Amino acid sequence: MLSYLVEEVLNRRPEGTLDFLLQTAVLEQMSAALCDAVTGRRDSQILLERLEQANLFLMPLDDAGQWYRYHHLFAEVLRVRLQQTQPEAIPQLHQRASAGMPQLGRLRRPSSIALAVPM
C-alpha cells in the first residue's frame, strides 16, 4: 500500500523534480552542495526546501536546514525505480557523490553519508 502511494506521489512530480529525486536517492544524507555535485544542478537548495515544504518524505537532520535525508521507505522506492529506469546511471552517480564529498569540508557524519545503491 505504501509503495503504491509513493509511486502515485512520484508520478505527479514534474520531470526535473523526479530526476532530482532519483539521482539523489544514492545518498543516505544530503546537503545542497552534495546534491549539486551528484546532479550537476546549481539549484539543489531551492529544490530541497520545496520538497521539505511539500512534505515530500524529506526529513531535515539539522536546525540550519543544511542536511537532509529521505524517509527510509521513500528512499527505497526511489532506489528501486532508479535501478529499473536508469541502471546505467548509477555508477556515475556514485562517482559524482564520491568526488563531491571532499569539497564539503567537515561532514555531518561521514560514515552515514555512504552511498546507498551498490554499483
Side-chain angles (χ1 to χ4, degrees):
M1 177 77 165
L2 181 62
S3 180
Y4 170 78
L5 293 174
V6 170
E7 286 293 330
E8 284 299 309
V9 168
L10 290 178
N11 290 336
R12 294 178 187 202
R13 296 293 102 205
E15 188 172 324
T17 302
L18 180 57
D19 289 341
F20 177 84
L21 292 169
L22 293 175
Q23 291 170 349
T24 57
V26 300
L27 303 169
E28 288 291 331
Q29 294 183 12
M30 63 196 85
S31 68
L34 188 53
C35 290
D36 282 347
V38 170
T39 64
R41 300 174 70 119
R42 297 288 169 240
D43 61 349
S44 294
Q45 185 64 44
I46 293 167
L47 278 169
L48 289 168
E49 290 170 2
R50 286 182 185 161
L51 294 171
E52 182 183 15
Q53 290 170 356
N55 294 317
L56 195 61
F57 305 102
L58 185 70
M59 306 170 87
L61 297 175
D62 61 11
D63 293 334
Q66 293 181 344
W67 288 97
Y68 298 89
R69 72 172 178 85
Y70 293 123
H71 183 281
H72 68 279
L73 294 174
F74 185 66
E76 183 61 31
V77 170
L78 289 173
R79 291 178 194 125
V80 167
R81 184 178 268 199
L82 178 63
Q83 183 65 44
Q84 291 172 342
T85 61
Q86 301 174 40
E88 70 287 347
I90 295 171
Q92 184 178 27
L93 294 171
H94 283 281
Q95 185 177 34
R96 289 179 185 170
S98 295
M101 284 184 197
Q103 298 171 5
L104 298 178
R106 184 172 169 257
L107 296 175
R108 178 176 164 76
R109 289 184 294 188
S111 62
S112 64
I113 301 179
L115 305 175
V117 180
M119 294 200 312

